[in-house]
Amino acid sequence: STRFIPPHPSEDERVVRLYPLSDSIVQLEWAPFVTGDPRLTLIEYRVVARCIGAPEPVWLPRSPNQEEEDTCPEAASVSEENLAEQVVALFISDGMSQQVACVSRLQPHACYVFSIEARYPYLGTRAFAKGLDSERFCFPTVDVALPAPQPLACDECPPQ
């Protein structure tokens, strides 16, 4: 039988860049993977999102009917048992340009790690080979400290 080397990231480009587009959408970008032979041009990519720090499995991304409290709260330690994961993108590419995937409907108060996996769409085993993992991603938050309430002077107010 013939064995194919699965698509894999180039040694020069092993980075997943993450760009938040809103409070629930992130864009992932990475360099096209290298194939085992230059004649193999099509690659099927799968992007898997893992919510990290969840005390129990939750579904990602958020469904329209899901309650807001189903987010993945932070946890002191992350282990394989408390990682909820879901395929969030699947596509075939000719591998000629920068690869891009937009992941939407993410929980804004959760943190994620994204994995990029690949296989040949029409050759070899049907299993995906793990290629890249992103850094931990959390949506940016703004902590606004409001000043303490101050009494206002009123010239025309009756004394109390």
Side-chain angles (χ1 to χ4, degrees):
S1 79
T2 304
R3 181 158 163 77
F4 294 97
I5 298 171
H8 54 280
S10 157
E11 290 302 317
D12 302 335
E13 284 283 342
R14 300 190 59 85
V15 176
V16 179
R17 286 173 291 289
L18 303 166
Y19 303 101
L21 302 179
S22 75
D23 66 349
S24 65
I25 300 173
V26 66
Q27 179 174 303
L28 289 70
E29 293 183 5
W30 65 94
F33 284 11
V34 177
T35 61
D37 185 291
R39 295 173 290 179
L40 296 172
T41 57
L42 293 180
I43 298 174
E44 186 173 7
Y45 290 101
R46 178 169 73 177
V47 179
V48 177
R50 286 193 317 270
C51 181
I52 55 178
E56 55 192 44
V58 295
W59 289 104
L60 308 175
R62 178 176 66 221
S63 71
N65 300 332
Q66 192 173 6
E67 296 297 321
E68 287 296 322
E69 55 267 17
D70 287 344
T71 61
C72 300
E74 292 283 2
S77 64
V78 176
S79 65
E80 288 298 317
E81 294 80 39
N82 65 1
L83 297 180
E85 67 178 43
Q86 184 169 333
V87 174
V88 292
L90 184 66
F91 63 95
I92 296 175
S93 172
D94 64 5
M96 294 300 179
S97 60
Q98 188 79 355
Q99 304 301 300
V100 177
C102 285
V103 181
S104 61
R105 304 181 68 188
L106 296 168
Q107 299 288 339
H109 301 293
C111 294
Y112 298 91
V113 171
F114 298 96
S115 297
I116 312 299
E117 302 171 345
R119 69 180 180 187
Y120 299 113
Y122 307 111
L123 298 172
T125 177
R126 301 313 307 144
F128 281 89
K130 191 159 197 175
L132 294 172
D133 281 328
S134 73
E135 294 290 323
R136 175 187 179 112
F137 173 79
C138 301
F139 284 100
T141 59
V142 177
D143 292 331
V144 177
L146 296 176
Q150 299 292 321
L152 295 176
C154 180
D155 293 335
E156 298 177 16
C157 296
Q160 295 188 5

